[in-house]
């Protein structure tokens, strides 16, 4: 089973985000970069499938040079090899552009199963995996909390509003992760040592056979033209009172008369 | 020439979701700026009767795709049908509600149309030939304005944010032929809660519990939510403890909610939790630790044991109702 994990490097969820001078991107200095949390679930699930059924786990990333660190972390968790697509002409791609590069690379590596995160917590896009599956014309199942593979078929339980649905598809297929699917392992010390020797390939658009005119900022149909901070919430009032009952009465009064939400 | 705004109006079991009204209303606003028409699309089984209701919210025309094969909102079959409809109608703008299945649908459609998509928008504007969308990024730490280019321009709008407005228009129903194609995925089983509660992302009031709940007994919060007509949510810690299902998790790796009222009970206010509820209109925090960071974001705070405060609030609300 050849499993490919689509992995994006993102700022740590705790990171202080600052807007860059160009007002269309964030300042990348002083940011701690990590594997997108949902992609960490994807790596873990890939490793579990490999441990059960055998096969190979490849990590595939579109990103700048620094993303190598995150690929190495996934290799230290147990993945077998990594591919970084990094090309100046690819910068500024939108979701569809990114998906084109990922799909081109996937056609080169081959795959039985592709696992991605449901969303990247930087752009909160929820788009790239869908586009990859559409470009490859393979089945896709989103927000999966449980999967089972047998006889060339994958059966997934996915979350939907108000519950879950069990969906099946023939392999090759793509699915995206939802929290609850697993608890990702930490990279062990021997894992980290081994990861240093695992193959990590750099690819450019030329390697992928993707033309510079197909991706990148000029081709993007969704472009950021301004960034701002949302209005800061200011701390409101702490409701004083002798007893819980007194505080409750005052809260309910405020909600009804001041906030007018009840 | 591409013309008008096409709006997908999501329904479940014969009722429109709130997001459907929000999407049609928003579509009307955009169409008015353009001086063009709004066409709503309803897909499902046995839905023809309900389709006309969308006229009230500004749909000039409602396309009804009524077919037993569409009884469940299966993103794949739906995207196949909606793709045909979009191609046949050649709209300038396509609006979809960003419910969990709606996001799935929008992403597939945009990819197949080769269109630009702004996901989970909280505001839309028409700016000459392009749609400019405001959408939160980085867990709501940043608001980005994105410009869409090309045709059609696809926007998925965040539930509970855009205003519902009654702007009666024709709402003439037109039946459309449906071809679901050959889906590559098959639904084997549905495990839905018997009493479908309002989805968190659509609820007007959310009462969430955290580690401070101490156990899986959330009955107090259920009762408070019920009185307020709201829904129960949870912090990740409460979910990790196994007290609540993952679908209840609010936060950066859970659902993003923007109700009128969010009541956080026994939740400390970690940055990842705030990412999921910071856009609520009013936040109430109940926590026994006066130093809990949640108080810095709350409009109203009660420093108290939640097991004393919540029953007192319930009593007070009951008194008011009498
Ligand atoms: C990558 C990543 C993603 C994450 N995503 C999310 C996410 O999506 N959503 C999320 O919520 N968290 C998320 N977290 C976890 C987050 O960092 C916090 O750990 C979590 O939100 C804490 O949950 P809590 O407030 O319930 O628990 P705690 O932080 O333990 O707080 C419990 C609070 O309850 C109070 N309390 C205890 N007993 C009582 C009582 N009887 N009455 C009143 N108050 C009481 C305490 O004073 C305390 O403030 C994420 C973390 C990471 C690293
Ligand atoms: N640059 C990228 N490189 C590799 N995978 C990506 C990239 N961007 C997005 N993905 C994958 O697509 C998922 C959803 O991302 P997004 O659509 O950006 O929210 C992520 O969790 C990854 O699995």
């Amino acid at each position: 089973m050849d499993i490919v994990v689509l992995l994006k490097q993102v700022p740590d969820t705790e990171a202080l985000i600052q807007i860059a001078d160009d007002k269309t991107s964030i300042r990348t200095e002083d940011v701690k970069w990590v594997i997108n949390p949902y992609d960490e679930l994807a790596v873990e699930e890939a490793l579990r499938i490999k441990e059960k059924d055998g096969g190979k786990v490849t990590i595939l990333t579109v990103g700048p040079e620094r993303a190598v660190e995150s690929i190495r972390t996934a290799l230290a968790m147990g993945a077998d090899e990594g591919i970084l697509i990094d090309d100046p002409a690819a910068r500024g791609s939108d979701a569809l552009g990114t998906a084109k590069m990922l799909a081109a690379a996937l056609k080169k590596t081959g795959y039985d199963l592709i696992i991605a995160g449901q969303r990247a917590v930087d752009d909160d896009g929820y788009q790239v995996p869908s586009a990859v599956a559409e470009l490859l014309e393979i089945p896709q199942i989103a927000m999966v909390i449980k999967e089972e593979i047998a006889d060339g078929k994958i059966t997934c339980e996915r979350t939907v509003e108000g519950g879950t649905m069990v969906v099946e598809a023939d392999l090759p297929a793509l699915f995206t992760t939802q929290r609850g699917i697993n608890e990702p392992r930490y990279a062990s010390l021997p894992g980290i040592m081994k990861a240093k020797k695992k193959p990590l390939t750099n690819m450019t658009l030329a390697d992928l056979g993707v033309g510079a005119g197909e991706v990148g900022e000029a081709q993007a149909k969704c472009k950021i033209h301004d960034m701002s901070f949302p209005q800061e919430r200011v701390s409101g009032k702490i409701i004083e009172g002798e007893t819980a009952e007194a505080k409750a009465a005052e809260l309910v009064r405020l909600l009804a008369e001041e906030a007018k939400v009840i | 020439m591409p013309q008008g705004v096409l709006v997908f109006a999501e329904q479940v079991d014969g009722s429109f979701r709130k997001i459907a009204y929000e999407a049609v209303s928003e579509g009307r606003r955009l169409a008015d700026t353009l001086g063009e028409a709004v066409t709503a699309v309803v897909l499902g089984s046995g839905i023809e009767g309900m389709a006309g209701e969308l006229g009230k919210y500004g749909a000039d025309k409602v396309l009804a795709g009524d077919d037993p094969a569409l009884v469940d909102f299966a993103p794949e079959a739906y995207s196949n049908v909606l793709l045909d409809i979009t191609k046949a109608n050649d709209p300038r703008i396509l609006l979809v509600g960003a419910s969990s299945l709606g996001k799935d649908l929008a992403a597939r459609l945009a990819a197949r149309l080769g269109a630009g998509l702004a996901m989970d928008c909280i505001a839309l504007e028409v700016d000459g030939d392009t749609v400019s969308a405001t959408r939160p990024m980085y867990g709501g730490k940043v608001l980005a304005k994105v410009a869409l280019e090309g045709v059609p321009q696809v926007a998925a709008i965040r539930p509970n944010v855009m205003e519902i407005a009654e702007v009666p228009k024709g709402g003439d129903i037109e039946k459309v032929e449906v071809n679901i194609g050959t889906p590559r995925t098959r639904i084997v089983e549905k495990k839905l809660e018997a009493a479908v509660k309002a989805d968190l992302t659509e609820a007007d009031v959310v009462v969430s519990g955290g580690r401070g709940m101490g156990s899986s007994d959330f009955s107090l919060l259920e009762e408070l939510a019920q009185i307020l007509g709201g829904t129960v949510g949870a912090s990740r810690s409460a979910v990790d403890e196994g007290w609540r299902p993952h679908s209840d998790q609010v936060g950066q790796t859970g659902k993003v909610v923007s109700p009128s009222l969010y009541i956080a009970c026994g939740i400390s206010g970690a940055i990842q939790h705030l990412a999921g509820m910071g856009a609520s209109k009013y936040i109430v925090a109940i926590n026994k630790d006066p130093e809990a960071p949640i108080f810095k974001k709350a409009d109203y705070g009660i420093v108290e044991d939640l097991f004393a405060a919540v029953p007192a609030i319930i009593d007070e609300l009951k008194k008011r109702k009498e």
Side-chain angles (χ1 to χ4, degrees), chain A residues 26-43:
Chain A
I26 62 157
R27 289 176 60 172
T28 51
E29 311 91 65
D30 309 324
V31 167
K32 183 180 166 208
W33 297 92
V34 298
I35 300 177
N36 179 39
Y38 287 108
D39 303 354
E40 221 171 6
L41 302 177
V43 174

Side-chain angles (χ1 to χ4, degrees), chain A residues 15 119 161 166 179 233 258, chain B residues 100 141 188 240 252 280 300:
Chain A
R119 72 189 200 241
E161 256 107 334
V166 181
R179 260 183 52 75
R233 285 197 94 93
E258 192 178 86
Chain B
S100 37
K141 288 178 197 165
V188 187
D240 284 347
Q252 196 161 11
S280 306
Y300 305 117

Side-chain angles (χ1 to χ4, degrees), chain A residues 11-19 25-26 33 37-38 94-96 118-119 121-128 130-143 145-146 153-155 157-170 178-181 183 218-262, chain B residues 10 17 72-76 79 99-101 103-104 107-120 127 132-133 135-151 184-193 196-197 199 201 204-205 228 236 239-240 246-247 249 251-256 260-261 263 271-272 277-284 286 290 295-305 308-309 312-313 316-317 320:
Chain A
D12 188 279
T13 50
E14 299 271 357
L16 173 72
I17 300 293
Q18 290 176 292
I19 297 172
S25 60
I26 62 157
W33 297 92
Y38 287 108
D94 60 3
L96 203 50
Q118 59 160 273
R119 72 189 200 241
V121 301
D122 55 352
D123 59 24
D124 289 318
Y126 301 86
Q127 288 183 51
V128 171
S130 253
V132 169
E134 292 293 352
L135 291 169
L136 296 173
E137 302 186 337
I138 59 170
Q140 55 173 306
I141 304 172
M143 304 210 183
I145 54 168
K146 202 169 145 198
K153 259 194 334 216
I154 183 162
T155 308
E157 186 166 350
R158 68 154 295 170
T159 56
V160 291
E161 256 107 334
T164 64
M165 257 196 235
V166 181
V167 181
E168 69 172 27
D170 295 332
Q178 168 71 310
R179 260 183 52 75
I181 189 170
E183 269 314 317
Q219 286 308 308
K221 286 183 173 154
C222 180
K223 277 188 202 146
I224 297 175
H225 61 84
D226 182 56
M227 277 186 169
S228 61
F229 292 113
Q231 210 180 352
E232 271 276 353
R233 285 197 94 93
V234 286
S235 37
K237 46 184 111 163
I238 296 289
I239 294 171
E240 308 289 345
E242 288 297 313
T243 60
E245 287 70 25
K247 292 176 193 171
E250 177 62 2
L251 172 70
V252 171
R253 187 189 71 77
L254 286 167
L255 290 176
E257 293 169 17
E258 192 178 86
K260 301 194 169 67
V261 287
I262 58 171
Chain B
E10 186 177 342
R17 282 188 176 282
D72 295 317
F73 184 172
E76 189 171 5
S79 69
S99 63
S100 37
L101 287 162
K103 286 193 191 100
D104 199 333
R108 288 169 194 251
L109 274 170
R112 290 168 72 181
L113 292 160
L117 162 60
M119 190 64 94
D120 220 17
D127 189 357
S132 167
R135 55 181 307 269
M137 286 176 73
Y138 300 94
K141 288 178 197 165
V142 171
L143 293 179
K145 275 206 170 148
V146 301
L148 294 174
E149 286 168 22
V151 187
R184 302 186 190 105
T185 54
R186 302 168 286 277
I187 297 176
V188 187
E189 196 190 339
K190 288 193 284 177
K191 301 182 182 173
L192 299 180
E193 281 165 38
V196 180
K197 61 172 192 176
D199 186 66
T201 56
D204 207 38
V205 176
L228 293 170
R236 168 152 146 188
V239 170
D240 284 347
H246 284 94
S247 51
Q249 184 181 318
Q252 196 161 11
T253 51
K255 288 193 169 137
V256 179
S260 305
L261 176 60
I263 307 182
I271 191 159
Q272 298 92 351
M277 42 64 89
S280 306
K281 217 170 280 158
Y282 283 90
I283 296 174
V284 171
I286 302 167
F295 287 124
K296 293 218 170 60
K297 303 288 171 188
D299 300 281
Y300 305 117
I302 292 188
V303 181
E304 188 72 61
D305 189 316
I313 296 168
E316 193 60 33
L317 287 167
R320 230 168 222 272

